[in-house]
Amino acid sequence: MNIPELNIANPALAPMGSAVEPALVRMCLRLGYDGSSYNGWALQPGLPTVQGILEDALNMLIRRPIRTTVAGRTDAGVHARHQMVHFDLTETEYAGLARGAALEPGYALVRRLRGVLGREGGSILVHEAYRAPEGFDARFSALWRRYSYRIADGPARFDPLTRAFTMWHKKDVDLDLLNDEAESLLGRHDFLSFCKPRERATTIRTLTEFNFDRDESGIIVAHLKADAFCHNMVRAMIGACLMVGDGRERPGWVALRLEAAVRDSKNMLADPRALVLEEVAYPDDVEEIAMRAELTRTRRKPHEITTDLPELRATNE
């Protein structure tokens, strides 16, 4: 995503950078990571996390504590191809990123971060960094997130060389059954049956894409897109579809689970290692960035639930 450089001029959107200068320059990072060695994105005391590693690197370079905000927190073992993060700098810190060299500050930051993160052996890679437009929020300004999930169904398709990012499922799976169950989840619903609710957070989401296909090697690949995903939502939906796809439950069971809107022992989570955050999308119009953030912060109400998919596609794609 190419976003022109604009100044974050609203002090309410940024923390203080120092005792003498506020941090009003919002920076955006696009990065990818292999989540195999990390306990998810979010900070956890005493445990290696992607956020912890990234913030340690930023703290070293900026020489003060930096706190990041992410587009979507990933669970332990989950990967990201294009994750989005923001954090705030002072004007002095922004100007000093190039250390006096004739380099664009964002480009200089990428080079320096790659140097520090090299100790992770390539598990975390920063793709680009740039000054964000006014009102930008990596989490709340996002229009949608897209995930993929790989499944090797049956031992004949197991490959030890791809085991770090592929689920091994012992039973063969009916692809048509998977797609029928996935289609029943499209639209705006309360996904409580497939979520681990967070305090004061809604479980209403708009799912605009969910389907399965086989790639040229016979691996099943799931594709999912929504305005946002709740904690464990993707893995729970994949797990539920597999229950029908391999014959453990009857067709239509996933729709019944959705309608029940209850989290219980029937909730089966698919293996996290096969899940990849592929992409996060933002408005193209700079003026819509802040507006989108404010809109997203407004909690979804029960009366907004609908399954009118054609309308949803028109408004979310």
Side-chain angles (χ1 to χ4, degrees):
M1 179 185 66
N2 295 320
I3 296 180
E5 292 189 4
L6 294 177
N7 185 30
I8 296 292
N10 185 349
L13 298 176
M16 294 299 293
S18 67
V20 295
E21 188 178 3
L24 301 181
V25 178
R26 179 146 294 181
M27 295 296 297
C28 183
L29 293 181
R30 181 172 63 87
L31 69 155
Y33 48 84
D34 175 351
S36 303
S37 301
Y38 305 105
N39 287 74
W41 164 265
L43 292 171
Q44 297 186 55
L47 295 174
T49 68
V50 181
Q51 183 180 18
I53 297 297
L54 177 61
E55 290 186 358
D56 283 348
L58 288 168
N59 296 347
M60 179 184 301
L61 296 177
I62 308 302
R63 300 182 181 179
R64 70 170 175 86
I66 298 291
R67 181 52 51 90
T68 59
T69 297
V70 72
R73 289 177 287 183
T74 50
D75 295 337
V78 175
H79 318 292
R81 198 178 309 277
H82 296 289
Q83 175 71 277
M84 303 297 290
V85 176
H86 83 244
F87 59 94
D88 300 319
L89 300 178
T90 68
E91 288 284 358
T92 300
E93 290 166 344
Y94 177 74
L97 290 175
R99 291 182 170 180
L103 297 174
E104 191 276 325
Y107 176 74
L109 179 59
V110 170
R111 289 182 56 177
R112 295 176 65 189
L113 278 174
R114 285 186 175 184
V116 176
L117 293 173
R119 62 193 178 192
E120 297 299 307
S123 294
I124 303 175
L125 181 66
V126 177
H127 298 299
E128 63 177 334
Y130 47 84
R131 189 167 179 165
E134 183 172 355
F136 176 82
D137 187 292
R139 177 185 177 190
F140 290 114
S141 294
L143 293 172
W144 46 261
R145 287 90 169 159
R146 182 169 61 85
Y147 281 85
S148 68
Y149 192 94
R150 289 169 47 92
I151 305 166
D153 60 324
R157 296 187 177 94
F158 293 176
D159 181 356
L161 298 183
T162 62
R163 70 190 185 280
F165 53 92
T166 306
M167 175 188 183
W168 286 4
H169 193 67
K170 294 181 179 180
K171 296 182 178 181
D172 289 337
V173 175
D174 187 311
L175 194 64
D176 290 334
L177 287 177
L178 287 181
N179 278 311
D180 287 344
E181 298 303 302
E183 186 176 3
S184 70
L185 295 175
L186 294 173
R188 181 180 289 116
H189 307 284
D190 186 345
F191 284 93
L192 177 61
S193 296
F194 305 99
C195 296
K196 184 177 181 180
R198 298 184 188 275
E199 187 177 358
R200 297 187 301 277
T202 180
T203 52
I204 296 173
R205 296 290 187 271
T206 302
L207 184 67
T208 55
E209 180 182 333
F210 188 14
N211 61 75
F212 297 83
D213 59 31
R214 287 191 187 273
D215 66 15
E216 63 280 358
S217 64
I219 298 299
I220 295 174
V221 183
H223 309 274
L224 307 94
K225 187 171 78 171
D227 57 346
F229 291 91
C230 305
H231 188 203
N232 289 343
M233 180 175 163
V234 176
R235 293 168 57 204
M237 293 192 301
I238 296 287
C241 289
L242 284 172
M243 294 285 286
V244 177
D246 66 14
R248 284 175 288 171
E249 295 290 347
R250 294 181 177 181
W253 182 74
V254 172
L256 294 176
R257 291 287 298 152
L258 176 68
E259 183 179 0
V262 59
R263 182 175 174 84
D264 55 28
S265 60
K266 296 179 181 179
N267 201 40
M268 304 295 291
L269 295 181
D271 192 330
R273 64 179 168 173
L275 183 58
V276 178
L277 173 59
E278 295 283 354
E279 183 182 8
V280 184
Y282 296 90
D284 292 328
D285 189 337
V286 171
E287 295 182 357
E288 294 180 9
I289 291 287
M291 293 174 57
R292 176 65 185 181
E294 290 303 314
L295 177 63
T296 307
R297 289 187 179 95
T298 304
R299 288 176 60 91
R300 299 167 180 85
K301 306 299 182 181
H303 68 268
E304 294 178 336
I305 299 174
T306 180
T307 57
D308 186 0
L309 187 58
E311 180 182 350
L312 292 174
R313 283 177 173 159
T315 59
N316 283 279
E317 295 185 345

